[in-house]
Amino acid sequence: MSKNLYYPPPPYQGYSTPVSDNLAQETLTAIDPAFKHGLKEISITPLPHAIKEAAAISYLIGKGYDYHTAHYTVESWWKMGYY
């Protein structure tokens, strides 16, 4: 038998119980500054750029960065030509 066989994941069983009953509210509150930033960006940059920037900031927030550091980091990527 080959060692490289692929075994698909089991069928979808639904979501497990969230760690917090307020997970949705916590998530939306955490990304709200990035969301608002994206809305402002739409008026001065193309829509794909604004969405990508807001998503990247939100991702970094999820990784533990505070909003200001995440925003500064993503802006620096844009200035360096990464997107």
Side-chain angles (χ1 to χ4, degrees):
M1 184 169 4
S2 173
K3 292 181 182 180
N4 295 325
L5 291 178
Y6 170 73
Y7 295 97
Y12 173 74
Q13 300 296 320
Y15 293 104
S16 61
T17 305
V19 175
S20 168
D21 290 335
N22 296 319
L23 183 59
Q25 189 59 46
E26 290 172 14
T27 302
L28 296 174
T29 299
I31 64 144
D32 193 56
F35 174 75
K36 288 178 180 173
H37 173 77
L39 290 177
K40 289 178 189 172
E41 285 286 305
I42 290 171
S43 67
I44 58 174
T45 62
L47 182 60
H49 173 91
I51 292 172
K52 190 179 286 188
E53 189 168 302
I57 292 168
S58 295
Y59 177 80
L60 291 178
I61 289 170
K63 297 287 281 183
Y65 290 72
D66 65 273
Y67 167 74
H68 296 290
T69 302
H71 177 226
Y72 178 81
T73 300
V74 172
E75 285 291 335
S76 73
W77 295 342
W78 177 74
K79 290 176 184 174
M80 291 188 287
Y82 287 119
Y83 71 97

